[in-house]
Structures are given as structure tokens and as C-alpha cells.
Amino acid sequence: MVFYFFLSYKNQSTMKHTFFIDLDNTIYFTKPNEAQLMNGIYSLLDKLDLGIAEEEKELAKKEMLRTPFQKVAKKYRFKPEATEQAIAYLSNRSVTAPLIPSEDYHYIKNLKGRKFIVTAGFPKQQNSKVAMLGIAEDFEEVFVVDAGSSNKKEAFLYLIEKYKLSKEEILIIGDDADSEIKFGLELGIETFLLDPENLHPNAESTYKGIDLSNLPSAAGE
């Protein structure tokens, strides 16, 4: 089956001057970088007693490529002691091998305005990803949300207050319909859902695309 996926305009956008941009599976894709990102945690999980069947463990590993570890551990009901050991490992882990940005990253890099990475995960690990991608200088700030105690909605509100930003001039860009896209819409902020595999066909978003080629239009550029 072939999916035709077009950018959708719900209203005429004003020009955007501020961009809140997700990291994982937006600026770069986790699957082509799986070895650098996941080998260590996969090995640890294989050694731990998670209290779940092998088939569930393999499903959990796949979800970890798209979803913060804490959410996966909760969904699959990892044993608390195993979850604690994995979190301790991830909290102190850095990515030390180069990562490859997406082929569409130039659309993000060339946006005219203030750009912020807003990503969920462990600060040391997420910041090391940015360093290994070689993109730190493209952004005003990298804001890491602790997925165990907060969410991106709170992060957006914090950044809006800190930098005295106007919601009308913000565009939120990401791949997670249930996180940055959902929270952006709840705050009355326009969103661009990147969905190359059509994982969220019925998701609400101001704009949608299988790639970022229409991002400049969504930004009003």
C-alpha cells in the first residue's frame, strides 16, 4: 500500500520567528544510529531480570528507539529494581561516536529565527547526542525534559516565560503526536508533525509531512 501524505494547512500561518524542535527522530533518526545509541542499554537489559517475557523485552527495545526509557519501562512493567539500575546507567551515559543528522536537517538549520531543541530524556545523554551531531551552534538552547517527572508542555511554558516569547510566532516541530504536537496544540501553538512512516494518520496537527520539505512554507518563509 502506498501512502500519499501532504502538508495540510488548517489556516494561513503568520511568519514564525521561534522554533521548538524535537531531537530524536526529527533532527536525526534513531534507527540508522542504533548501534551508537542502544548497544549499551540493550546489553544491560539482557543481563537484568525485567520480570517480563522475552518477546515483550524485544518489543520494549524497539519502542525505546522512539520513546523515553521511563515511559517504556512503565508500559511494560519492568521490575522496579531493574528500572532503577537502567536509569542509573542511562543517567551517566554519553554518546561518544558520531551521529548522522537527517537528510532534511538543512530545512531546520536554514529556518530564520530563534531555534530551541526541546527533547525528553537524560541530560548528559541528550546533550552528548547534540555534540555528536555537530549541531550545537545552530540552537540558542538545548532544553532536556526529565520524562520521569515532567513533560514538554511544562518545558514550552518555561521557555515562553524565560524568553518572553509570543505563542503566535512559535512553530513546534516533532514526530511525537502524543507529546510535543499534542501539548503544542493545547497551548494554542502551531505544530508541524513529521511522520515519514504514517504512524499517526489521524493525529491532529496544524501541519503534517512525510518529510521537512514544506517546513519553510509552514514557517511562513
Side-chain angles (χ1 to χ4, degrees):
M1 181 178 294
V2 178
F3 292 99
Y4 294 92
F5 210 105
F6 299 95
L7 182 78
S8 64
Y9 290 88
K10 293 191 174 180
N11 48 47
Q12 185 62 40
S13 172
T14 58
M15 186 170 181
K16 304 305 178 187
H17 301 287
T18 306
F19 304 93
F20 294 159
I21 306 164
D22 181 41
L23 177 62
D24 301 298
N25 295 303
T26 300
I27 288 175
Y28 82 105
F29 290 102
T30 53
K31 188 63 179 177
N33 296 282
E34 186 172 9
Q36 299 97 305
L37 296 170
M38 309 303 293
N39 279 354
I41 186 61
Y42 286 169
S43 296
L44 178 60
L45 293 178
D46 286 339
K47 296 174 184 175
L48 295 174
D49 178 12
L50 302 178
I52 61 175
E54 186 68 23
E55 299 79 31
E56 289 183 301
K57 183 174 72 174
E58 293 307 311
L59 289 173
K61 285 181 178 179
K62 290 181 180 179
E63 286 198 30
M64 284 172 58
L65 280 170
R66 302 194 66 90
T67 306
F69 173 80
Q70 295 97 317
K71 291 185 178 181
V72 175
K74 183 177 181 180
K75 176 180 177 178
Y76 287 90
R77 299 181 180 178
F78 291 179
K79 284 186 175 181
E81 54 270 29
T83 298
E84 289 175 8
Q85 290 183 60
I87 287 175
Y89 167 80
L90 291 169
S91 297
N92 291 289
R93 178 180 182 269
S94 294
V95 178
T96 57
L99 299 174
I100 306 167
S102 78
E103 292 182 358
D104 278 357
Y105 178 66
H106 62 97
Y107 291 113
I108 291 173
K109 182 179 176 66
N110 293 331
L111 287 170
K112 300 177 180 68
R114 306 173 76 176
K115 296 187 280 286
F116 302 83
I117 291 177
V118 183
T119 178
F122 300 92
K124 186 174 183 180
Q125 180 169 257
Q126 295 303 93
N127 280 297
S128 71
K129 290 177 183 177
V130 174
M132 290 297 99
L133 285 161
I135 59 171
E137 293 184 358
D138 296 338
F139 298 91
E140 191 164 336
E141 182 175 339
V142 178
F143 191 94
V144 182
V145 179
D146 181 352
S149 61
S150 186
N151 59 50
K152 289 186 179 179
K153 187 174 187 177
E154 295 176 2
F156 297 152
L157 288 170
Y158 170 80
L159 291 170
I160 289 168
E161 175 62 25
K162 177 180 178 180
Y163 293 98
K164 307 303 179 187
L165 302 172
S166 169
K167 291 182 181 179
E168 290 74 21
E169 295 183 351
I170 299 171
L171 181 66
I172 294 172
I173 305 159
D175 71 296
D176 194 338
D178 297 317
S179 181
E180 61 268 2
I181 302 302
K182 172 178 176 285
F183 294 136
L185 294 175
E186 288 177 359
L187 292 171
I189 300 172
E190 291 190 356
T191 60
F192 187 109
L193 173 61
L194 175 63
D195 191 8
E197 297 179 24
N198 199 33
L199 298 176
H200 309 286
N202 300 313
E204 287 292 321
S205 183
T206 316
Y207 309 98
K208 299 178 183 180
I210 59 171
D211 57 33
L212 295 177
S213 60
N214 284 314
L215 183 57
S217 296
E221 297 181 359

